[in-house]
Amino acid sequence: QAPIKATCEDMSCKTGFPEDVHSAVVSRSVHGGQPLLNVRFRSCDGNKKIHFGSSEPEDFRVGEDGVVYAERSFQLSAEPTEFVVSAQDKETQQEWQMRVKLTPEPAFTGASEKDQRKIEEIIFPWQQYKHSSPLKRQKRDWVIPPINLPENSKGPFPQELVRIRSDRDKSLSLRYSVTGPGADQPPTGIFIINPISGQLSVTKPLDREQIASFHLRAHAVDVNGNQVENPIDIVINVIDMNDNRPEFLHQVWNGTVPEGSKPGTYVMTVTAIDADDPNTQNGMLRYRILSQAPSSPSPNMFTINNETGDIITVAAGLDREKVQQYTLIIQATDMEGNPTYGLSNTATAVIAVTDVNDNPPEFTAMTFYGEVPENRVDVIVANLTVTDKDQPHTPAWNALYRMTGGDPTGRFTIVTDPNSNDGLVTVVKPIDFETNRMFVLTVAAENQVPLAKGIQHPPQSTATVSITVIDVNESPYFVPNPKLVRQEEGLMAGSMLTTFTAQDPDRYMQQTSLRYSKLTDPASWLKIDPINGQITTTAVLDRESIYVQNNMYNATFLASDNGIPPMSGTGTLQIYLLDINDNAPQVHPKEATTCETLQPNAINITAIDPDIDPNAGPFAFELPDTPASIKRNWTIVRISGDHAQLSLRIRFLEAGIYDVPIVITDSGNPHASSTSLLKVKVCQCDLNGDCTDVDRIVGAGLGTGAIIAILLCIIILLILVLMFVVWMKRRDKERQAKQLLIDPEDDVRDNILKYDEEGGGEEDQDYDLSQLQQPDTVEPDAIKPVGIRRLDERPIHAEPQYPVRSAAPHPGDIGDFINEGLKAADNDPTAPPYDSLLVFDYEGSGSTAGSLSSLNSSSSGGEQDYDYLNDWGPRFKKLADMYGGGDD
């Protein structure tokens, strides 16, 4: 290839393009995004913001750096291609233009293969200076056309690409280098350059799918590292090869289409991608259907758009009830579907035919039969079955049932079983066999959704349901129920009250008469004849009984038949009791209190009568004639129909308790009267009328409740005292047990003592330690202390007198105290063996007495024989060695 050339004209420093026409030679095949040339724009002040444009924006684009790029891939014609590049100042809107002329590289003809493979030589631009002019004239930089290198080249490697040379290498020793991704930047080492010759080579095969182009920059420096040429840009485009098969996004594609769809109905879209260049035939895909399964009703039910992958229907006859699913094998081929050169791949398209309501439900029989016992509800009497060819458990399959005739009173309903789609005829109201023995229902079934348009079937199916009612033994019933009877109270026992009978609704059954019995009778006043139902009294009817509420007494009776199974019914008899004057009035309250004097001494009393009007109030109150003291001491005045006032007639009545009889008469016909005793307590009163003579009234007697309460309090107090005494005794025993650590029966001389406490605790810290301090002076008047009695043994003989320390001993008597204690111990027959440990309160610190082991007992150990300790066993061997060892 011939070197690429460019020319420019001399011009002074002037803002704008340095030339009016820019010519460049580029390769004949142009790819989208490929840099073609670099236009230079001169700005004298350097602060202008320039925007570049192209007169052919659909083919060429100018970047902000002045590089012209191809917008699309195309082939340059043999004739030069011209277009205009414009530059506009963004602030002043001033515009400059330059015409660009692109000439394709000449084709090689008649040259040998060796000449054609001649390595292209790139020469650095040069600078020329005129000494006669201060202006610097510069030859324009070269615009290097891209180097096209096919991917997956088989070498050999390194493979030479181009030679870079500077025309100054004749006078200077230069070094060449390249920088950029693929050279000294990741991925490094793909392109290398000979630093001496400038030969640029590639070291391994390239992959366009990883990196489509490389942008390198060539440098020329002298041996000292000084730059002698401006760097030049080298673009290496990786030419795509068809080395990648199409790949579907999914290996299995799922789609749906409603049954009965018309031709041309869209189903789904399948998509494949190709890693090769999509702007070339290597990445242009075409789709086609290889096979269809099943092939009914037509082997070509679907077609696919070979460019977009859209699948549509092309034939009618989709029927889910016949074919529920179609499986298509789809093939995608690159090279625009060329079967010879293109690479292909396949995927599976699964098309499910969805259901529409094109089949109505149909009853499996014209007539259904069922039966139901009378008086039963919520009972399924018949199952209505239907068939539907649509997809189960869909609105097009689910059946709805309704009754169109035969049930005017609404005794039946039909619900749908969600699992089986059957219609369940259910009784919702009781049916009486004596009234209706059979029902003939007309029912219809249809789907939840209407039938699809164009279906030549009736929308619903009809059938009849014949239901037979079965006669059963029914319970007898009383008429009327409840039955009300009005009767005066006081009816004597054995009197006939009424007849209470029941009826049997089973008119078509052969059974004997009913039997009667009593079910409830709270007061046991009644009995019923088991044959004829006649009710008589067994006791006197009393309206004032606790079993009578609001003058009404209720009793229930039972009527039973002898059917299979036996049945019974209950009836309630209500007796409204009319009042008679059979109760005399009584005084209330029964006790009252008044004062000894005349004022104030009124007592209000009330008359109570269990009877009701007119056998009750108004009442008449009077005092009896006998005894005469009643009327002499008391007077009574009626203040209302039910109330009266009792007061003293005399000025003074001695305090005490008086029984005042009062005669009360009601208004009944005939009248009823009674004499009631009112216990009146007369006492001394204060000015407010309150009783003050409490002792005399209390002396009259205490109530039983008060006496019981007093006794309980006394018993509880005694129990508490007893518990306290027991607790005190137990506490004393515990103290004695702590003091006597050894049982007196074990108190023998020369025994081994066992103590529970080995040292003093918190209770042993409260001592007067000043008594054991170092003596300084001697006071002859000091009182000799009394000896300390040991608590570990009980004395057998008279207790010896131990020296007793005074409350404040003289500091010099410590030694005398110890000596006297030692003598007392030697003379004490109840003391342990001599030289044993004696317990003292506190010995003090720094005593001048020295160790107690230096003190000698006044008695000699030789006076006693301890050889018997050897006979006591191993436990006493140590004592035997100490005391029975002779001179040792």
Side-chain angles (χ1 to χ4, degrees), residues 224-281:
N224 296 324
N226 298 319
Q227 178 177 322
V228 298
E229 300 284 1
N230 291 332
I232 60 174
D233 295 327
I234 301 175
V235 177
I236 300 175
N237 291 328
V238 183
I239 305 301
D240 183 44
M241 305 293 289
N242 190 18
D243 57 345
N244 291 279
R245 291 182 178 273
E247 296 290 341
F248 283 91
L249 297 180
H250 305 286
Q251 194 59 37
V252 178
W253 297 78
N254 295 295
T256 60
V257 60
E259 62 175 331
S261 297
K262 297 180 180 180
T265 302
Y266 170 80
V267 179
M268 61 190 300
T269 299
V270 296
T271 304
I273 57 175
D274 196 319
D276 292 326
D277 190 354
N279 297 318
T280 65
Q281 291 184 344

Side-chain angles (χ1 to χ4, degrees), residues 49-88:
K49 296 181 179 181
I50 304 301
H51 173 70
F52 294 98
S54 170
S55 61
E56 304 292 337
E58 66 278 0
D59 294 333
F60 305 100
R61 173 177 60 85
V62 184
E64 295 295 331
D65 55 354
V67 177
V68 180
Y69 298 91
E71 277 292 286
R72 61 183 182 86
S73 300
F74 59 90
Q75 295 285 337
L76 289 177
S77 61
E79 299 296 329
T81 301
E82 295 185 3
F83 61 95
V84 177
V85 174
S86 62
Q88 185 179 23

Side-chain angles (χ1 to χ4, degrees), residues 29 323 360 397 633 741:
S29 296
V323 179
W397 178 81
N633 296 335
L741 300 177

Side-chain angles (χ1 to χ4, degrees), residues 232-412:
I232 60 174
D233 295 327
I234 301 175
V235 177
I236 300 175
N237 291 328
V238 183
I239 305 301
D240 183 44
M241 305 293 289
N242 190 18
D243 57 345
N244 291 279
R245 291 182 178 273
E247 296 290 341
F248 283 91
L249 297 180
H250 305 286
Q251 194 59 37
V252 178
W253 297 78
N254 295 295
T256 60
V257 60
E259 62 175 331
S261 297
K262 297 180 180 180
T265 302
Y266 170 80
V267 179
M268 61 190 300
T269 299
V270 296
T271 304
I273 57 175
D274 196 319
D276 292 326
D277 190 354
N279 297 318
T280 65
Q281 291 184 344
N282 299 334
M284 295 181 181
L285 306 181
R286 295 296 183 265
Y287 301 93
R288 70 190 186 100
I289 298 176
L290 296 181
S291 64
Q292 168 192 309
S295 59
S296 61
S298 171
N300 298 315
M301 296 295 294
F302 305 93
T303 186
I304 187 171
N305 187 310
N306 64 346
E307 293 185 0
T308 63
D310 295 341
I311 300 176
I312 59 175
T313 60
V314 293
L318 291 174
D319 189 352
R320 191 203 65 85
E321 286 72 34
K322 295 180 179 179
V323 179
Q324 299 182 359
Q325 178 178 287
Y326 289 91
T327 302
L328 307 180
I329 303 300
I330 310 299
Q331 183 186 59
T333 307
D334 57 16
M335 296 298 291
E336 294 184 307
N338 190 317
T340 303
Y341 303 103
L343 301 177
S344 61
N345 211 336
T346 60
T348 302
V350 179
I351 302 175
V353 182
T354 58
D355 186 39
V356 298
N357 192 15
D358 56 347
N359 295 280
E362 297 181 0
F363 283 103
T364 58
M366 295 301 297
T367 303
F368 296 88
Y369 298 92
E371 58 183 21
V372 58
E374 62 175 331
N375 300 322
R376 297 284 299 276
V377 293
D378 297 330
V379 177
I380 299 175
V381 297
N383 277 22
L384 309 182
T385 56
V386 295
T387 59
D388 195 320
K389 297 179 181 180
D390 293 321
Q391 185 174 357
H393 306 292
T394 62
W397 178 81
N398 297 334
L400 297 179
Y401 300 89
R402 58 188 178 89
M403 281 180 290
T404 59
D407 185 23
T409 57
R411 298 183 181 274
F412 300 92

Side-chain angles (χ1 to χ4, degrees), residues 119-136:
I119 302 302
E120 181 181 0
E121 187 176 82
I122 299 176
I123 302 176
F124 278 93
W126 52 271
Q127 297 177 349
Q128 182 179 1
Y129 300 93
K130 286 189 175 181
H131 300 286
S132 61
S133 173
L135 296 177
K136 177 176 65 177

Side-chain angles (χ1 to χ4, degrees), residues 31 37 39 111 211 226 234 368 516 622 654 760 788 823 865:
H31 301 279
L37 58 110
V39 296
I211 301 177
N226 298 319
I234 301 175
F368 296 88
Y516 301 96
E622 60 180 346
E654 185 179 359
I788 301 175
K823 292 179 181 180
D865 185 9

